Amino acid sequence: MQYVAFSYARISRQITGLAITVLIATLITLIHPTPLHAQSEDARTSCDQLIVSGHTGYPPFNFTDNGVFRGAAIDLIRMIARDIGIHVEIRNVGPWIRAVKNLTDGDIDLLVAIYHTPEREEDYVYSDPYAEDPIVMFTMAKTEFPFNDWYDLVGKVGVTTRGDSWGSDFDRFIEQYLTMMRVNTTDQMIDMIAQDRANYGVQGLYTLERSKRRIDFANDISISSTPIKSENMYMAISRKSPCRTLIDQINQEIARHKDAGTIDKLVAIYVRPDGS
């Protein structure tokens, strides 16, 4: 196994202009702030605003800093909302499991970063994919083992984050063949492996790279050069939301920002440990 490194020097000169665009989009959404839970979602029959949430600990796409959402997907939905002319409220509803339930129940309109699974299609309208999220296996360097395919994990104890899906195929493989513990954060995963309570962890590469404990352990962590898989990242709107009719406009803006390279630049900003 070898450490998977990323270089972002080739786009660093382009980030300043993008940061100004993000700032303008953010300020626009704050001009007419809506009080939290000012209107009951049960009473909403029209899409007067877009109520958005996300994962509080899944950078670079979405995470919280002192309770405030940040990340590439957060900046992207602000840009899209500005472009299509709708006010967006970024709402922190708590842990990911609760955020998913809120979307299913229609208490929020949209989650900014989520994998597609067939089971979720009954409740959600998915956007087109806007980014790829490589998923990796990692260990402590002193206890690394060969990893070429999923079956190399059988008979070992793994750990991943609670409530996260890694795609329907790997989720089924976990259920059928693997021993997998669940914790709340990537930092807790790393500590469990460092304390020999688990043999390996499964996490999105970008999220792992942003982890404080990952930075603390530096070269003591070994990341598989063979990824477990790579998943597309989507936005999803609740089928109970009056804003579900916006999906075509959202997809048009996703395509425009992909073609312009904006989304890749946003991801690159927030992949860096100092990205904010």
Side-chain angles (χ1 to χ4, degrees):
M1 290 187 280
Q2 65 185 48
Y3 175 73
V4 181
F6 288 83
S7 173
Y8 303 105
R10 61 188 174 84
I11 64 169
S12 60
R13 292 188 299 273
Q14 299 170 295
I15 288 176
T16 300
L18 178 62
I20 293 172
T21 302
V22 171
L23 178 59
I24 292 172
T26 303
L27 290 174
I28 289 174
T29 65
L30 296 176
I31 291 174
H32 301 292
T34 301
L36 188 63
H37 304 290
Q39 183 180 18
S40 169
E41 281 71 42
D42 291 339
R44 292 178 69 209
T45 58
S46 63
C47 183
D48 52 347
Q49 66 171 342
L50 191 63
I51 302 173
V52 171
S53 193
H55 198 305
T56 58
Y58 203 80
F61 300 104
N62 42 189
F63 62 97
T64 53
D65 182 7
N66 294 320
V68 178
F69 265 113
R70 308 179 74 87
I74 297 296
D75 289 351
L76 178 61
I77 194 60
R78 284 190 171 122
M79 290 178 179
I80 290 172
R82 177 202 63 193
D83 295 339
I84 67 178
I86 188 167
H87 173 71
V88 61
E89 177 191 333
I90 310 294
R91 182 179 293 181
N92 184 352
V93 299
W96 179 240
I97 294 175
R98 187 182 304 160
V100 170
K101 185 178 188 304
N102 276 199
L103 187 68
T104 302
D105 294 344
D107 295 331
I108 59 175
D109 297 311
L110 181 144
L111 286 175
V112 294
I114 189 169
Y115 293 162
H116 177 277
T117 65
E119 297 79 10
R120 289 170 169 169
E121 286 186 337
E122 182 178 344
D123 298 311
Y124 311 150
V125 179
Y126 281 93
S127 73
D128 293 335
Y130 62 84
E132 285 194 11
D133 187 28
I135 302 163
V136 296
M137 186 277 292
F138 69 96
T139 67
M140 302 307 293
K142 65 181 180 181
T143 57
E144 64 180 320
F145 56 87
F147 175 72
N148 297 301
D149 61 43
W150 298 352
Y151 286 95
D152 290 330
L153 304 176
V154 175
K156 298 177 174 62
V157 177
V159 61
T160 191
T161 35
R162 185 172 287 114
D164 284 329
S165 166
W166 303 118
S168 56
D169 52 351
F170 191 61
D171 287 347
R172 284 194 300 269
F173 189 83
I174 291 174
E175 183 178 351
Q176 293 175 7
Y177 299 108
L178 300 184
T179 301
M180 188 70 69
M181 296 185 290
R182 302 272 179 170
V183 294
N184 291 327
T185 69
T186 305
D187 285 347
Q188 291 173 348
M189 290 171 57
I190 293 172
D191 285 337
M192 290 189 70
I193 298 168
Q195 296 164 10
D196 295 324
R197 297 170 61 192
N199 303 120
Y200 68 92
V202 174
Q203 187 56 280
L205 176 63
Y206 300 144
T207 298
L208 178 60
E209 294 289 26
R210 283 281 306 231
S211 165
K212 180 181 183 301
R213 296 297 281 158
R214 163 75 184 96
I215 298 167
D216 291 344
F217 276 100
N219 293 333
D220 290 335
I221 290 178
S222 179
I223 303 174
S224 62
S225 57
T226 301
I228 284 180
K229 62 181 303 188
S230 184
E231 279 287 318
N232 284 320
M233 194 64 78
Y234 300 79
M235 295 183 182
I237 301 180
S238 173
R239 290 192 181 274
K240 295 181 179 179
S241 166
C243 297
R244 62 189 181 276
T245 56
L246 294 177
I247 193 65
D248 288 342
Q249 294 180 69
I250 290 172
N251 283 334
Q252 290 173 7
E253 294 304 316
I254 285 174
R256 187 171 69 85
H257 287 299
K258 283 180 72 172
D259 290 344
T262 303
I263 298 175
D264 288 341
K265 294 171 193 173
L266 286 172
V267 170
I269 291 171
Y270 287 103
V271 164
R272 297 185 319 221
D274 61 344
S276 60

